[in-house]
Amino acid sequence: MQRPCRITFVFISLFLVSSYGEETGNKVTNIGAIIDVDSRIGKEEKTALEIAVQSFNNDVSNNHNLSLYIQNSRRDPLLAATAAKKLIEEQEVIAIIGLETWEEAALVADIGSRARVPVLSFAAPALITPSRWPFLVTMANGDFEQMKCIAATISSCNWKRVVVIYEDDAFGGDSGKLALLSEALRDVGSEIEYRLVLPPFSSVSNPNEVVQDELIKLFNVQSRVYIVLQSSLPMTIHLFEKAKEIGLVGRDSAWIITDTISNYFDSFNSSVISSMQGILGIKTYHDEGIIKQAMDSDENSPDSLLKNILSSNFTGLSGEIHFQQGKLSHDPILRIVNLIGKSYNELDFWLPGIGFSKNIGYVGNKSADFTGTVIWPDGSKLVPKGWAMPTNKKPMIIGVPARTAFEKFVKVDDGKHPGQKKYDGFCIELFYEVLTVLDYDLIYQFDPHNGTYDELVHKVYNKTYDAAVGDITILANRTTLVEFTQPYAASGLSMIVPVKPESSAWMFLKPFTTKMWFVTGSILIYTMFIVWFLEHQSNPDFRGPWNNQIGTVFWFTFSSIFFAHREKIYSNLTRVVVVVWLFVALILTSSYTASLTSMLTVQRLEPTVTDIEWLKRSNVKIGCDGDSFVRTYLEDVLKFKSYNIENVSSEYNYEGEFKSNHIAAAFLEVPYGKVFLNHYCKKFTTTAPTYTFGGLGFIFQKGSPIARDFSRAILKLSEDGTLISLEQKWFAPSPECSADVTEESKTNSLSIHSFWGLFLISVATSTVCLLLFLAYSLKRYWHHEEENNAGTLSLVDESVWNKAMRVAKCIYKGKVCVRGEVSAAPRVPVIYKWSSQTWDYDRSSSHISMENHEVKSQTESEIGIQLQAHN
């Protein structure tokens, strides 16, 4: 027997009804069978039934016999219904077995349910409703798991479009397989591109001619992945023989058949097998087992027979047999097979609810992808493209936009000969570079497209073109129609407006940023305070009324920026502070002068329009490329009025439109805007926010594997620098714009980031000098106190903090403290040089001290006379 699952079912069915006969005590039990006796499968089933009945009747342990009545339905539902009615009314059968098609099973199930006779069917629908046919038991599994298995195989091979072929039955049905397959393919991101429906084999007089005429239609379809859902044995033979003959079984093609056809493998002769080499088939996996059944019942009604059948639990060749809601409760394990030579190789398992697996027992090695090694129809182990690849007879027709606004991207000119075209531009050269990266030769033919870009996209969608090469923007609505490659350039929408010279009465403030000015001023004030603090006790230039002191110290610090200060400095600490400040001032003035000179020398430009909303409120006209999507975008998204949008056909026309004040702004995609500004940088600029899109790319028909190959090639060209080289070649700025970019970089305002180290040095130096001065003054004060208060306990208990505060107060006011009290007379030490000796003059005591000598005088005048006489 060629169909073990059918034989298993026959034995189980007969065993069930025989048990019923034992319970009723009948000597003879009548059962009916409705099959297509004329078909190969029907003949096998008829033989199996007869052998099963004969085997049962020859068993001496049985106390009654089975009587089998077979009716020929010829796969005709009406004949099957008539036969069922005859078996029930005339032969009084207790059950009906068989029914190859669901159309037959549905009609017979209606009759059986009314007569309360169980109907055991070989066919199963996509979805069964037990309440409608309560006496129907389907012994076949549904096709859902099989369709999921096929879809997973399609996904593993990266095929996006498939062609479905099936033989129509006499009632125009496909048993629900097509709907299940379509749903499964959608789940993996693929779709059915074309359905080829073959007429029923019994309805055609010349099947060879009919099949050939139908298959020729497939040459107009791009996909070369064929899924055969259902077909009779003779139709399958004609199908594959003709497909092989006309070249559909070969290079770049893949064929997948369901289990209804793979079950014919053992029935094909060598010529049919040779035409099916390399196809993939789905077969139900049958485990070794024997028929086991244990059923006990005391009820003798038709309902009890149905109940016994539905509650039975067997292990057959196809595994466990258990019923739930009138059908088998479990989905079968499937096996992928590859037809090679005179037999087939078994590849991966398909486990329901799990997926592909290398073996049936261990679930841990499941895989999301089909991993078996397949020998495909062309004898190769490489996965076919699954697509109609171009040939010399049928090259790939590629549309090229001939009406472009920016010729640096794509330019179509007349060639040397009549009717000949010359294609040039960045996009065309990029296409040539991609061809050098592909691992196969792409035979193509350019065709100029004189229309909008949306029309070009639709020409690819409706298969007028196989692909399109050019500056085509990737948009969401376009991706539903065609397949885009990896973008080779970024895209967005920018606003181009004229510029005017920048003029400002505060230009002198531009060299520094606001923060830079603030920090510089703060450092100036801090340095001014430090100089005053260090000098105002010993230097008469920094004494006097407060307004004089402030004016002097401010003048000194500010004039030092220009090295114009004339005041003498007495303290060495002050000299250190001033030296560092002069260095800071030198750097700042040099930087300021250079920056201001650059700003005044290089013309600074500013846009005339900066706000899109102002354009709409002012009701002025704007320009754009009318052949692109930009016009629609301006109307639908940015809400510009249609009558205010002007179509500009060429990049060279924009300048004239601006000069004539016909338009106030132009909206260009970012790549075009860069090209435009590379030549008109002195007259125009871009402003306003940029609206981002998907980039620029090439397009192919939906599901084309060539699009994926182009995407990989573009990525490779981007990684190795070829793409950058092409951009520099085609979009290099003009010499004046190139120089302008360099000059413009020098005119930016200087920020604190360039000077924070210098400022830090200045502040640190001033602070350290201040601390040293305070420490020295405190030390000298304590020494003076110790000398003047020797043996006195009045200051012993005074805290260090109080002492320090009193010293600071004395220094601040320029007075001297005696025994903890502040005297009214100011103490202003004056340093004199005489014979390399230092003199200290105290105004309050008219006292001059010199190392190892002491000279006393009563008045300052006398001291001055003595000093002058000595000099």
Side-chain angles (χ1 to χ4, degrees):
M1 292 289 97
Q2 308 293 334
R3 306 289 296 280
C5 59
R6 301 289 186 183
I7 300 172
T8 301
F9 169 70
V10 168
F11 275 95
I12 293 172
S13 303
L14 293 179
F15 201 80
L16 290 173
V17 297
S18 68
S19 300
Y20 176 80
E22 290 178 357
E23 293 169 1
T24 58
N26 294 333
K27 294 298 181 181
V28 178
T29 301
N30 297 332
I31 59 174
I34 302 176
I35 56 180
D36 181 12
V37 180
D38 299 330
S39 67
R40 174 73 175 267
I41 296 177
K43 292 176 182 179
E44 294 175 0
E45 292 168 346
K46 180 176 181 296
T47 304
L49 284 168
E50 291 173 346
I51 293 175
V53 170
Q54 183 179 0
S55 175
F56 181 85
N57 291 338
N58 291 338
D59 190 346
V60 295
S61 63
N62 294 324
N63 59 5
H64 72 289
N65 292 330
L66 297 177
S67 180
L68 178 66
Y69 296 92
I70 298 177
Q71 295 289 324
N72 187 5
S73 67
R74 298 186 181 88
R75 298 176 70 92
D76 187 336
L78 295 179
L79 290 178
T82 302
K85 193 172 183 180
K86 181 178 180 181
L87 289 172
I88 294 173
E89 295 177 353
E90 297 182 7
Q91 309 300 336
E92 297 182 350
V93 297
I94 63 168
I96 298 176
I97 305 170
L99 309 169
E100 280 287 337
T101 66
W102 172 243
E103 288 75 20
E104 297 175 78
L107 287 177
V108 174
D110 280 333
I111 297 173
S113 297
R114 287 195 296 268
R116 307 184 69 79
V117 174
V119 176
L120 286 78
S121 169
F122 290 166
L127 180 65
I128 189 171
T129 307
S131 59
R132 181 175 178 182
W133 300 291
F135 278 78
L136 174 64
V137 179
T138 59
M139 288 295 296
N141 293 103
D143 295 310
F144 181 65
E145 280 298 326
Q146 187 173 189
M147 297 303 111
K148 286 180 62 177
C149 177
I150 293 175
T153 304
I154 298 296
S155 177
S156 299
C157 296
N158 233 345
W159 296 323
K160 297 300 182 182
R161 288 194 170 190
V162 301
V163 175
V164 174
I165 303 173
Y166 62 90
E167 179 186 356
D168 199 3
D169 56 32
F171 296 90
D174 54 29
S175 302
K177 293 183 176 67
L178 185 63
L180 291 176
L181 177 62
S182 180
E183 179 183 354
L185 289 175
R186 279 197 304 270
D187 292 340
V188 298
S190 300
E191 61 180 334
I192 298 174
E193 181 181 5
Y194 185 78
R195 292 186 302 166
L196 181 64
V197 183
L198 300 173
F201 185 80
S202 58
S203 66
V204 297
S205 57
N206 189 347
N208 274 334
E209 182 179 348
V210 171
V211 171
Q212 179 172 321
D213 292 342
E214 292 296 327
L215 290 177
I216 288 177
K217 298 177 182 178
L218 298 181
F219 284 105
N220 297 322
V221 181
Q222 290 291 344
S223 176
R224 288 294 181 266
V225 180
Y226 307 106
I227 301 175
V228 185
L229 286 181
Q230 65 181 28
S231 176
S232 62
L233 177 60
M235 182 62 80
T236 301
I237 294 174
H238 287 286
L239 172 64
F240 281 98
E241 286 182 342
K242 283 299 176 184
K244 181 72 173 181
E245 180 182 325
I246 65 177
L248 289 177
V249 182
R251 182 185 177 187
D252 298 320
S253 67
W255 289 77
I256 301 176
I257 59 176
T258 59
D259 62 344
T260 58
I261 301 171
S262 60
N263 288 329
Y264 298 143
F265 279 167
D266 298 320
S267 303
F268 293 144
N269 56 36
S270 58
S271 64
V272 178
I273 292 294
S274 64
S275 66
M276 300 177 69
Q277 292 295 298
I279 69 171
L280 288 180
I282 311 295
K283 289 180 68 70
T284 302
Y285 175 75
H286 299 292
D287 197 6
E288 297 296 330
I290 59 175
I291 301 176
K292 296 180 180 179
Q293 186 263 357
M295 178 176 65
D296 297 317
S297 177
D298 298 328
E299 300 182 23
N300 299 325
S301 64
D303 292 333
S304 67
L305 175 60
L306 177 64
K307 180 180 179 181
N308 293 338
I309 292 174
L310 295 178
S311 62
S312 58
N313 191 359
F314 299 97
T315 301
L317 293 177
S318 58
E320 182 184 0
I321 296 178
H322 179 69
F323 297 100
Q324 185 177 0
Q325 294 184 345
K327 61 179 181 179
L328 292 176
S329 61
H330 72 284
D331 292 311
I333 297 174
L334 304 176
R335 192 75 187 262
I336 313 296
V337 298
N338 181 208
L339 191 59
I340 299 296
K342 296 181 180 180
S343 184
Y344 54 82
N345 294 334
E346 295 182 337
L347 304 177
D348 290 5
F349 291 96
W350 175 264
L351 306 181
I354 297 176
F356 292 112
S357 177
K358 279 295 183 182
N359 54 61
I360 194 173
Y362 179 59
V363 180
N365 63 348
K366 66 179 182 179
S367 173
D369 294 328
F370 174 67
T371 58
T373 301
V374 181
I375 306 299
W376 299 98
D378 61 351
S380 172
K381 294 182 181 180
L382 296 176
V383 178
K385 294 290 184 184
W387 197 259
M389 298 302 288
T391 62
N392 290 324
K393 293 183 178 179
K394 190 179 180 182
M396 173 180 281
I397 306 300
I398 300 178
V400 179
R403 220 167 61 190
T404 57
F406 288 81
E407 296 179 346
K408 285 187 176 293
F409 286 88
V410 180
K411 184 178 181 180
V412 181
D413 288 330
D414 293 330
K416 297 180 180 179
H417 305 287
Q420 187 180 25
K421 296 292 183 181
K422 180 182 177 182
Y423 301 89
D424 198 10
F426 169 79
C427 298
I428 302 300
E429 190 164 344
L430 175 61
F431 174 78
Y432 293 148
E433 291 290 342
V434 169
L435 295 183
T436 63
V437 178
L438 298 179
D439 55 1
Y440 54 87
D441 294 331
L442 187 67
I443 303 172
Y444 67 92
Q445 177 182 326
F446 283 146
D447 185 71
H449 166 71
N450 289 287
T452 66
Y453 282 82
D454 283 335
E455 292 171 351
L456 177 61
V457 171
H458 277 85
K459 279 190 175 182
V460 177
Y461 171 70
N462 61 29
K463 301 180 181 179
T464 302
Y465 291 143
D466 299 310
V469 170
D471 47 343
I472 307 169
T473 306
I474 302 174
L475 300 175
N477 62 331
R478 291 177 177 176
T479 58
T480 62
L481 305 176
V482 294
E483 199 83 31
F484 276 93
T485 64
Q486 170 78 16
Y488 58 79
S491 179
L493 190 64
S494 60
M495 184 172 73
I496 307 296
V497 296
V499 294
K500 60 182 180 181
E502 181 181 1
S503 59
S504 174
W506 303 99
M507 179 64 73
F508 67 92
L509 296 177
K510 295 285 185 179
F512 288 165
T513 61
T514 303
K515 188 175 182 180
M516 179 67 177
W517 280 115
F518 175 77
V519 174
T520 302
S522 301
I523 299 296
L524 175 66
I525 294 174
Y526 184 67
T527 304
M528 178 180 69
F529 168 76
I530 297 297
V531 170
W532 171 82
F533 195 85
L534 297 177
E535 288 292 316
H536 87 288
Q537 281 192 350
S538 60
N539 194 333
D541 291 334
F542 290 87
R543 296 193 55 80
W546 278 110
N547 56 347
N548 289 344
Q549 294 187 47
I550 295 175
T552 300
V553 73
F554 181 79
W555 166 255
F556 174 83
T557 309
F558 186 80
S559 62
S560 64
I561 298 177
F562 310 100
F563 304 95
H565 57 288
R566 291 177 296 180
E567 290 77 8
K568 294 181 180 180
I569 298 176
Y570 292 178
S571 172
N572 288 330
L573 293 177
T574 307
R575 291 188 179 98
V576 174
V577 172
V578 172
V579 167
V580 174
W581 167 248
L582 291 177
F583 178 72
V584 173
L586 176 64
I587 300 299
L588 290 177
T589 54
S590 300
S591 301
Y592 176 87
T593 303
S595 181
L596 181 61
T597 302
S598 177
M599 289 182 176
L600 295 176
T601 303
V602 179
Q603 186 181 27
R604 296 173 62 87
L605 304 174
E606 60 181 4
T608 56
V609 180
T610 59
D611 187 14
I612 292 179
E613 294 301 322
W614 180 88
L615 290 173
K616 291 189 285 188
R617 290 194 305 268
S618 303
N619 207 32
V620 296
K621 290 187 178 297
I622 58 175
C624 70
D625 180 8
D627 288 336
S628 70
F629 74 97
V630 175
R631 184 183 181 96
T632 303
Y633 187 86
L634 292 173
E635 295 177 4
D636 298 342
V637 179
L638 299 184
K639 305 302 181 183
F640 278 96
K641 298 176 181 178
S642 178
Y643 56 81
N644 281 335
I645 304 176
E646 294 291 329
N647 293 338
V648 183
S649 60
S650 172
E651 61 179 301
Y652 306 109
N653 296 339
Y654 282 99
E655 184 181 15
E657 295 289 331
F658 278 115
K659 283 185 176 180
S660 62
N661 293 325
H662 196 201
I663 60 175
F667 285 87
L668 301 177
E669 292 184 65
V670 170
Y672 308 143
K674 290 181 179 179
V675 172
F676 183 79
L677 294 178
N678 280 345
H679 289 80
Y680 299 100
C681 58
K682 299 290 187 180
K683 301 179 180 179
F684 305 96
T685 188
T686 180
T687 184
T690 299
Y691 299 88
T692 306
F693 305 120
L696 302 182
F698 302 151
I699 59 175
F700 293 83
Q701 290 183 13
K702 202 71 173 172
S704 172
I706 304 177
R708 297 193 300 271
D709 297 340
F710 263 63
S711 294
R712 284 191 292 267
I714 291 173
L715 284 175
K716 185 175 181 181
L717 294 175
S718 177
E719 292 169 0
D720 63 17
T722 303
L723 195 57
I724 295 294
S725 299
L726 289 177
E727 291 177 355
Q728 293 173 348
K729 173 184 176 181
W730 286 96
F731 308 137
S734 61
E736 62 175 2
C737 289
S738 179
D740 183 69
V741 172
T742 304
E743 293 174 354
E744 186 68 22
S745 63
K746 299 179 182 178
T747 61
N748 293 330
S749 298
L750 298 175
S751 66
I752 191 175
H753 299 291
S754 304
F755 300 94
W756 70 269
L758 192 65
F759 289 154
L760 180 63
I761 292 174
S762 177
V763 172
T765 302
S766 299
T767 304
V768 170
C769 290
L770 173 64
L771 294 177
L772 289 176
F773 175 77
L774 291 175
Y776 175 75
S777 299
L778 185 62
K779 179 181 178 182
R780 195 174 67 170
Y781 169 77
W782 283 346
H783 181 70
H784 179 73
E785 285 294 302
E786 290 175 356
E787 289 182 348
N788 293 338
N789 297 282
T792 303
L793 300 178
S794 61
L795 297 178
V796 172
D797 297 331
E798 188 176 8
S799 66
V800 175
W801 171 254
N802 290 335
K803 291 180 180 180
M805 292 300 296
R806 189 150 50 85
V807 170
K809 186 175 182 181
C810 291
I811 295 172
Y812 174 76
K813 292 185 175 182
K815 299 179 180 181
V816 64
C817 298
V818 180
R819 301 183 61 85
E821 297 179 359
V822 180
S823 66
R827 180 178 183 273
V828 183
V830 181
I831 307 299
Y832 295 91
K833 285 290 183 181
W834 179 40
S835 301
S836 302
Q837 299 295 324
T838 301
W839 293 75
D840 186 308
Y841 171 63
D842 191 336
R843 292 176 182 268
S844 63
S845 61
S846 301
H847 180 273
I848 300 175
S849 63
M850 186 182 67
E851 185 178 359
N852 299 325
H853 296 279
E854 185 172 272
V855 180
K856 295 185 177 179
S857 178
Q858 297 301 317
T859 63
E860 293 184 11
S861 60
E862 295 178 357
I863 294 173
I865 295 171
Q866 293 176 9
L867 291 175
Q868 291 176 4
H870 185 78
N871 290 331

